């Protein structure tokens, strides 16, 4: 995997990769350190408990958050297939247009694709209500199960565990034992390098991406954490943190990416809206140079889809598969079970046209593309770095200041009453 491919992956705000980098690699370990430092002056014992809670909480949540939704999706997809339906059929196809729709796709692709593909469409067409219920169930389970675990079950388990540790420390203190080894301090693991931080409502929600479902799950997770808080101050403290996390994880990054791209264009004249993989593609640069770059003639749905169907080997179709979720079967025929997001394709087409025009004006297309690629890569890394800094450092600091203002103490509100017990 090349450096450009890696940067492209972590720069795609519609995928999980930026979240993985920010969450597991930067945000969580920083928060553990900050939590420990915030509590240690008032009470070293509470600091250790708070760091332990944060360690268990954050990594357990990350595991469920990043892996739970895809795992449940796969399990429910298996169930749907066992019932004779193909979960890849997109419900948005029931909204017929001039270029795509379930009836139109059956008509246009029958005889061109395998009978199995057409049967998948016909089965869903004839049993729409049943299929909708299955996809609604899939959405419900893939969001509710992680939500319940992260928002309600996990905090109760951690609170109970902390309660046992507090009682154990209390008993040891009463027995006047000088050295306590009641639990491993997660700060030691970090310092010693023992951890490596490696048409209708149903049709809309049924086609939520994993990241969309993660956002929904985070909303329920936030509600659960507030509801299971050990006291009023902890509920307020957690609510502040979760609101900030939702904003910085799902709202801010796409807008920040657009801002950085626009700023780069104004300052340097470089069009960096395209993905680094496209900018690094020699075939793309050569097509611009030889004026053989094939693109749809206009932005109508009919023209875009017709182009995809008649020129599946074109660069535009190749990028449509890679970046716009257009699906083709093995014989280069577009999968009629999938819905085509024409709006997204039009945006990519216009960005390719704009880049080609600017590259030709530069008189050195290869050099222009290379500069644009590195500028785009810089913007992606800046976005990740800045959003990570906000999540890992600025948000906790703001939370601590808010906590001090509300409670008058630096201690974790849920553990503050434990200070006198240990």
């Amino acid at each position: 995997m090349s450096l450009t491919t890696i940067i492209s992956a972590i720069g795609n705000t519609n995928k999980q990769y930026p979240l993985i980098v920010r969450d597991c690699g930067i945000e969580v370990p920083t928060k553990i350190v900050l939590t420990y430092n915030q509590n240690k002056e008032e009470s070293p014992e509470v600091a250790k408990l708070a760091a332990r809670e944060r360690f268990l909480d954050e990594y357990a949540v990350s595991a469920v958050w990043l892996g739970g939704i895809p795992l449940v999706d796969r399990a429910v997809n298996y169930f749907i297939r066992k019932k004779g339906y193909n979960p890849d059929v997109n419900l948005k196809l029931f909204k017929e247009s001039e270029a795509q729709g379930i009836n139109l796709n059956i008509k246009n692709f029958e005889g061109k694709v395998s009978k199995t593909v057409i049967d998948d469409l016909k089965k869903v067409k004839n049993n729409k209500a049943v299929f909708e219920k299955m996809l609604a169930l899939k959405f419900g389970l893939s969001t509710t199960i992680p939500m319940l675990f992260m928002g309600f079950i996990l905090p109760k388990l951690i609170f109970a565990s902390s309660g046992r540790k507090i009682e154990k420390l209390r008993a040891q203190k009463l027995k006047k034992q000088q050295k306590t080894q009641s639990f491993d301090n997660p700060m030691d693991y970090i310092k010693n390098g023992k951890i490596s931080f490696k048409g209708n409502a149903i049709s809309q929600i049924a086609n939520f991406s994993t990241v969309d479902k993660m956002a929904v799950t985070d909303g329920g997770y936030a509600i659960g954490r507030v509801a299971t808080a050990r006291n009023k101050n902890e509920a307020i403290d957690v609510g502040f943190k979760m609101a900030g996390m939702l904003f910085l994880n799902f709202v801010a990054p796409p807008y920040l990416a657009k801002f950085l791209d626009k700023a780069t264009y104004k300052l340097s004249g470089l069009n960096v809206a395209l993905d680094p993989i496209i900018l690094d593609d020699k075939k793309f640069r050569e097509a611009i140079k030889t004026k053989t770059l094939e693109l749809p003639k206009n932005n109508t749905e009919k023209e875009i889809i017709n182009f995809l169907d008649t020129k599946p080997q074109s660069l535009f179709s190749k990028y449509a598969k890679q970046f716009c979720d257009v699906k083709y079967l093995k014989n280069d025929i577009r999968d009629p079970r999938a819905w085509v997001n024409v709006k997204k394709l039009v945006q990519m087409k216009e960005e390719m046209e704009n880049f080609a025009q600017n590259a030709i004006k530069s008189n050195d297309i290869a050099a222009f593309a290379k500069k644009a690629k590195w500028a785009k890569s810089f913007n992606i890394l800046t976005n990740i770095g800045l959003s990570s800094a906000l999540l890992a450092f600025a948000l906790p600091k703001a939370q601590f200041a808010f906590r001090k203002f509300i409670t008058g103490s630096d201690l974790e509100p849920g553990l503050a009453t434990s200070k006198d017990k240990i």
Side-chain angles (χ1 to χ4, degrees):
M1 183 180 287
S2 67
L3 177 62
T4 300
T5 304
I6 294 171
I7 292 175
S8 169
I10 64 174
N12 190 337
T13 55
N14 294 315
K15 301 294 183 182
Q16 290 174 276
Y17 307 113
L19 296 171
I20 293 173
V21 172
R22 290 200 303 265
D23 190 68
C24 297
I26 301 173
E27 181 187 350
V28 173
T30 304
K31 282 182 176 179
I32 294 170
V33 174
L34 290 175
T35 298
Y36 180 81
N37 291 337
Q38 182 68 15
N39 289 270
K40 67 179 181 181
E41 288 189 14
E42 280 198 48
S43 174
E45 291 84 1
V46 170
K48 291 178 182 180
L49 279 171
R52 177 180 180 273
E53 282 196 350
R54 181 58 63 93
F55 175 81
L56 294 173
D57 188 14
E58 295 288 351
Y59 277 110
V61 164
S62 294
V64 176
W65 191 52
L66 296 167
I69 292 172
L71 182 63
V72 176
D73 271 355
R74 284 195 291 271
V76 179
N77 282 345
Y78 177 80
F79 166 77
I80 293 173
R81 288 190 173 92
K82 281 292 185 180
K83 291 294 182 180
Y85 295 88
N86 191 323
D88 293 333
V89 177
N90 197 306
L91 279 176
K92 288 184 180 181
L93 292 173
F94 278 96
K95 187 178 180 180
E96 299 278 345
S97 68
E98 63 172 358
Q100 62 179 329
I102 196 159
N103 291 311
L104 188 61
N105 284 9
I106 290 172
K107 177 183 175 182
N108 290 344
F109 286 88
E110 197 158 22
K112 296 179 181 179
V113 298
S114 69
K115 185 175 181 297
T116 302
V117 173
I118 299 300
D119 287 346
D120 288 342
L121 287 168
K122 289 181 177 179
K123 182 73 178 286
V124 170
K125 175 190 171 184
N126 296 329
N127 300 276
K128 181 186 176 185
V130 174
F131 190 65
E132 282 182 334
K133 289 177 182 178
M134 289 183 178
L135 292 189
L137 173 67
K138 175 182 173 181
F139 173 81
L141 291 176
S142 63
T143 54
T144 302
I145 292 175
M147 191 186 300
L148 288 174
F149 182 81
M150 294 190 301
F152 295 89
I153 299 173
L154 181 62
K156 290 293 186 181
L157 292 174
I158 292 175
F159 296 162
S161 177
S162 290
R164 290 192 295 271
K165 296 298 179 185
I166 291 168
E167 290 303 317
K168 190 172 182 179
L169 284 171
R170 186 181 182 187
Q172 288 176 336
K173 193 170 185 178
L174 290 173
K175 293 177 181 179
K176 297 182 179 181
Q177 291 183 341
Q178 297 299 317
K179 294 182 180 181
T180 61
Q181 294 181 344
S182 58
F183 55 82
D184 291 327
N185 180 2
M187 299 300 301
D188 295 335
Y189 282 85
I190 297 172
K191 292 175 182 177
N192 297 331
K194 294 181 181 178
I195 297 176
S196 57
F197 298 105
K198 314 224 174 204
N200 54 40
I202 293 180
S203 70
Q204 292 294 329
I205 65 172
N207 292 289
F208 271 20
S209 67
T210 298
V211 173
D212 292 332
K213 291 175 184 175
M214 289 169 75
V216 172
T217 301
D218 252 20
Y221 163 40
I223 293 171
R225 285 307 172 93
V226 172
T228 56
R230 285 166 285 194
N231 53 55
K232 181 180 177 181
N233 284 340
E234 186 175 45
I236 296 171
D237 189 63
V238 169
F240 181 90
K241 178 186 77 171
M242 295 304 299
M245 287 177 61
L246 282 167
F247 177 78
L248 293 175
N249 265 321
F250 300 105
V251 179
Y255 285 100
L256 180 57
K258 290 179 182 178
F259 170 78
L260 290 171
D261 288 350
K262 287 181 179 179
T264 300
Y265 182 73
K266 287 184 178 180
L267 292 172
S268 66
L270 290 171
N271 187 322
V272 294
L274 292 172
D275 190 274
I277 289 177
I278 299 178
L279 298 173
D280 198 43
D281 191 341
K282 292 180 180 179
K283 292 182 179 179
F284 177 59
R285 300 198 299 263
E286 186 62 25
I288 295 173
K289 183 178 180 180
T290 57
K291 297 182 179 180
T292 58
L293 180 63
E294 292 184 289
L295 295 172
K297 294 179 181 178
N298 56 58
N299 295 341
T300 65
E301 182 183 46
K302 190 172 183 179
E303 171 62 21
I304 296 289
I305 290 180
N306 181 64
F307 187 95
L308 295 173
D309 290 342
T310 57
K311 298 181 180 180
Q313 293 294 329
S314 68
L315 284 174
F316 179 80
S317 297
K318 171 189 170 183
Y319 299 146
K321 286 188 286 184
Q322 194 166 1
F323 301 107
C324 300
D325 299 318
V326 173
K327 296 179 181 178
Y328 282 89
L329 302 172
K330 291 182 179 179
N331 54 3
D332 277 342
I333 295 177
R334 183 170 56 84
D335 190 340
R337 296 166 298 191
W339 179 74
V340 178
N341 188 336
V342 174
K343 184 178 179 180
K344 199 172 181 180
L345 288 165
V346 168
Q347 181 181 348
M348 185 178 74
K349 169 188 172 283
E350 292 177 340
E351 289 169 354
M352 291 175 70
E353 287 175 334
N354 291 336
F355 181 84
Q357 292 168 5
N358 291 331
I360 291 171
K361 291 178 183 178
S362 73
N363 296 320
D364 190 339
I365 294 170
F368 184 83
K370 187 175 181 179
K371 289 178 182 178
K373 183 193 78 169
W374 289 118
K376 179 67 173 182
S377 299
F378 176 79
N379 285 356
I380 289 172
L381 295 176
T382 300
N383 192 338
I384 289 291
L386 184 56
S387 56
S388 296
L390 291 171
L391 275 164
F393 188 80
L395 178 59
K397 286 293 185 181
Q399 180 189 358
F400 298 154
F402 180 75
R403 176 191 301 167
K404 182 80 171 181
F405 175 76
I406 294 295
T407 69
S409 171
D410 288 325
L411 294 178
E412 294 285 320
L415 292 169
T417 56
S418 302
K419 181 181 178 182
D420 298 329
K421 296 181 182 179
I422 54 178

